[in-house]
Amino acid sequence: MADPDGLQHVGVPLAPEVSKSGDILSISGPERDLLCALSYVHLACGQSAHSLALLRIAAREHSNDVGLLRILAYTLIAEGLGEEALHMLDRLDALDTQPSSRIPMTLLRSHALRHAGRMAEAREVFQTYVSLRASTALIRKQ
């Protein structure tokens, strides 16, 4: 439809696109990247609930994307959802085989345990994190 100035306006569908079989169409890689970027901005601005909503949409279809799941775990912790974050961290442990991920994931696990009300475990995991950091700092100095 054109307005008096000759500009063309395109209507935006309110419902998600649905295939003929009734399934909701999948989220492409660039769309996933956009959702992650928007969620990161929301998270950085202190709007973790908005961030969480966007990440849940992306994670529904990209459930093995380690980077997305890391951000999701962090966002769950920011929202105080410790038990759910622990489940996500368990999943990341199975998917993420990079040795460099061990230290930051240990710190996230400590925070998730704290939010889940498991303080003794949180302290123990935090001490593991401190030990891992100290050992890597010694290796770097040599």
Side-chain angles (χ1 to χ4, degrees):
M1 139 198 315
D3 67 9
D5 296 328
L7 296 175
Q8 191 76 12
H9 297 279
V10 178
V12 177
L14 297 177
E17 293 185 43
V18 177
S19 69
K20 291 185 188 213
S21 67
D23 297 331
I24 294 178
L25 297 178
S26 65
I27 297 170
S28 68
E31 291 167 335
R32 183 221 44 206
D33 293 344
L34 179 60
L35 285 171
C36 287
L38 288 171
S39 71
Y40 189 78
V41 169
H42 280 291
L43 189 59
C45 293
Q47 299 174 343
S48 56
H50 293 296
S51 177
L52 184 57
L54 294 170
L55 289 169
R56 285 182 197 247
I57 292 168
R60 186 179 64 224
E61 295 211 20
H62 297 275
S63 60
N64 292 330
D65 184 321
V66 172
L68 186 149
L69 297 179
R70 281 183 194 146
I71 298 169
L72 181 53
Y74 182 82
T75 304
L76 288 165
I77 292 166
E79 273 294 289
L81 301 171
E83 288 296 335
E84 194 174 345
L86 287 168
H87 291 295
M88 187 60 56
L89 291 167
D90 290 342
R91 192 148 168 235
L92 274 167
D93 281 343
L95 291 172
D96 190 357
T97 58
Q98 296 295 320
S100 61
S101 298
R102 185 169 177 219
I103 294 173
M105 290 299 113
T106 303
L107 181 59
L108 284 179
R109 184 170 296 280
S110 172
H111 286 299
L113 286 164
R114 183 174 51 86
H115 282 288
R118 296 160 55 180
M119 296 306 288
E121 288 176 83
R123 283 186 199 98
E124 186 177 313
V125 171
F126 185 74
Q127 288 304 316
T128 302
Y129 164 76
V130 170
S131 298
L132 288 170
R133 287 286 294 176
S135 66
T136 58
L138 290 174
I139 293 170
R140 287 184 194 154
K141 286 184 179 181
Q142 293 177 357

